[in-house]
Amino acid sequence: MTDGQNAYARAGVDIEAADTAIELMKGYVARASRPEVIGGLGGFAGLFDASALTRYERPLLATSTDGVGTKVAIAQAMDVHDTIGFDLVGMVVDDLVVCGAEPLFMTDYIATGRVVPERIAAIVKGIAEACQVAGCALVGGETAEHPGLLAPDEYDVAGAATGVVEADRLLGPGRVRPGDVVLAMAASGLHSNGYSLVRHVLLGSTDDGGAGWSLDRNVPELGRALGEELLTPTRIYARACLELADRTDVHAMSHVTGGGLAANLERVMPVELTASIDRRTWAPQPVFDLVRRVGEVSQADLEATLNCGIGMVALLPPDDVDEAVRVLGAHGIRAWPAGEVRAVEGEAGGSVHLTGQHPGW
């Protein structure tokens, strides 16, 4: 180790630990590749052969970036780090796929108070495995040690991805028509949004209005420990939704993240149309009702914060619903008609309304 590295280590940054982490993660990253990727880890930039885009007549590049919010606090508290990557990749690539874009490649960024090689490698393992599920390559990333800014065992993750879609197959509000069906796709659980609310309600101190529960508490309604439920990985819809776009006449899709179902669906609704969704068509997973009841959270607040059991929505013609349900089911995703799109009749255009009540609520 050089004198400079010794000084850096004394300042709290361990170069050798970072190098060890890179060695541990190389195998995971190598498996999250595509034929268009050039080179491997160690370069200053990831390389992707853009000549692959020549098969498109007018390729549009799409890009997205995101993190996983305070769900990382659950991973850190449980010392389980190989699932948070699914949350990161899901949050990023499924924002791309709503416009019909195929995710091509992704990069990640991990900031931590102290590099523990095995922990960093576990995080990257999850990211790489999730990229394989999504069909995109993990072409690079960065691990930064921030002593004094983050506690030794704290970290945060973020990522960015690029995808491509043929211009004449771009999905969005311009394609949506009256009579379209709102097809709901089941979430795996909370996904990666609203954890500040969930943590406050279930884990927060009783002095601050929380339930004061521990992560190892067995919750009968959940059928397992609370921490296991809260760490359930985000479902990745990318491959399923791309096949859905190929096999049916999908007009638009919406990834249900922060803001909830109505607010995210409104992002792809044209101003001359409105949509209604019937809560009676599905029962959210027990964790949503648990947060509602334990925290005495109003349904309006719950729906404005959490996905309430629906992670992705597609708008498509009624004649395509059966095929869409079949395609998604083949990918292990339960889907069902939850509402419809209609012309505006004396109400705010582009709006989404939820009606009825969930079974058992």
Side-chain angles (χ1 to χ4, degrees), residues 2 5 27 53 103 169-170 173 186 227 243 251 260 283 310 313 334 345-346 350 357:
T2 67
Q5 287 174 319
L53 304 184
R169 301 198 66 184
L170 183 69
E243 184 177 349
H251 294 154
I310 297 176
V313 169
R334 185 172 67 88
E345 297 177 1
Q357 188 53 279

Side-chain angles (χ1 to χ4, degrees), residues 243-302:
E243 184 177 349
L244 183 67
D246 283 340
R247 302 291 294 273
T248 70
D249 185 24
V250 171
H251 294 154
M253 289 188 279
S254 175
H255 187 199
V256 183
T257 56
L261 176 57
N264 280 286
L265 184 53
E266 285 174 354
R267 296 167 67 179
V268 296
M269 288 293 299
V271 295
E272 69 273 15
L273 300 177
T274 186
S276 61
I277 296 174
D278 189 348
R279 299 186 188 95
R280 293 173 296 180
T281 62
W282 83 100
Q285 291 93 331
V287 67
F288 297 101
D289 193 32
L290 187 72
V291 173
R292 181 177 71 99
R293 290 186 291 101
V294 172
E296 297 182 347
V297 180
S298 71
Q299 187 160 355
D301 284 343
L302 201 74

Side-chain angles (χ1 to χ4, degrees), residues 155-166:
Y155 63 81
D156 200 5
V157 295
T162 297
V164 62
V165 59
E166 189 70 74

Side-chain angles (χ1 to χ4, degrees), residues 27-299:
Y28 306 130
V29 177
R31 290 190 286 273
S33 189
R34 290 174 53 119
E36 303 93 338
V37 175
I38 298 174
L41 285 182
F44 285 95
L47 298 175
F48 190 91
D49 185 356
S51 66
L53 304 184
T54 57
R55 71 178 186 270
Y56 292 83
E57 290 191 9
R58 186 188 169 199
L60 302 181
L61 293 180
T63 184
S64 177
T65 185
D66 210 339
V68 301
T70 61
K71 189 170 184 175
V72 294
I74 307 298
Q76 291 161 20
M78 295 184 65
D79 197 23
V80 175
H81 311 287
D82 60 354
T83 62
I84 206 74
F86 280 81
D87 300 296
L88 178 62
V89 174
M91 289 297 99
V92 175
V93 301
D94 287 335
D95 276 357
L96 292 179
V97 81
V98 298
C99 69
E102 175 190 1
L104 299 175
F105 56 85
M106 181 167 177
T107 57
D108 66 77
Y109 180 83
I110 304 170
T112 183
R114 175 188 55 166
V115 170
V116 177
E118 294 78 11
R119 183 165 60 212
I120 298 299
I123 297 170
V124 175
K125 173 179 180 285
I127 296 171
E129 289 177 347
C131 282
Q132 289 178 267
V133 171
C136 69
L138 181 59
V139 297
E142 175 74 8
T143 300
E145 203 166 23
H146 291 167
L149 182 62
L150 294 170
D153 292 326
E154 288 182 342
Y155 63 81
D156 200 5
V157 295
T162 297
V164 62
V165 59
E166 189 70 74
D168 64 6
R169 301 198 66 184
L170 183 69
L171 304 179
R175 290 179 178 263
V176 181
R177 297 289 182 267
D180 278 353
V181 171
V182 179
L183 188 75
M185 303 178 213
S188 58
L190 293 165
H191 286 184
S192 300
N193 299 104
Y195 270 74
S196 294
L197 172 64
V198 173
R199 289 168 55 242
H200 170 73
V201 167
L202 301 179
L203 304 175
S205 166
T206 54
D207 292 338
D208 295 328
W213 292 359
S214 63
L215 289 170
D216 61 2
R217 178 189 178 107
N218 184 58
V219 182
E221 299 98 310
L222 304 178
R224 55 178 169 174
L226 177 60
E228 293 179 54
E229 177 71 31
L230 299 187
L231 210 57
T232 301
T234 298
R235 172 165 281 157
I236 296 175
Y237 299 90
R239 285 186 189 268
C241 285
L242 288 174
E243 184 177 349
L244 183 67
D246 283 340
R247 302 291 294 273
T248 70
D249 185 24
V250 171
H251 294 154
M253 289 188 279
S254 175
H255 187 199
V256 183
T257 56
L261 176 57
N264 280 286
L265 184 53
E266 285 174 354
R267 296 167 67 179
V268 296
M269 288 293 299
V271 295
E272 69 273 15
L273 300 177
T274 186
S276 61
I277 296 174
D278 189 348
R279 299 186 188 95
R280 293 173 296 180
T281 62
W282 83 100
Q285 291 93 331
V287 67
F288 297 101
D289 193 32
L290 187 72
V291 173
R292 181 177 71 99
R293 290 186 291 101
V294 172
E296 297 182 347
V297 180
S298 71
Q299 187 160 355

Side-chain angles (χ1 to χ4, degrees), residues 305-352:
T305 308
L306 305 178
N307 67 59
C308 291
I310 297 176
M312 184 76 78
V313 169
L315 304 180
L316 72 172
D319 290 346
D320 281 341
V321 169
D322 288 346
E323 175 66 4
V325 170
R326 190 197 65 76
V327 167
L328 294 168
H331 286 269
I333 298 172
R334 185 172 67 88
W336 65 95
E340 65 176 351
V341 175
R342 63 181 188 277
V344 173
E345 297 177 1
E347 54 190 313
S351 59
V352 176

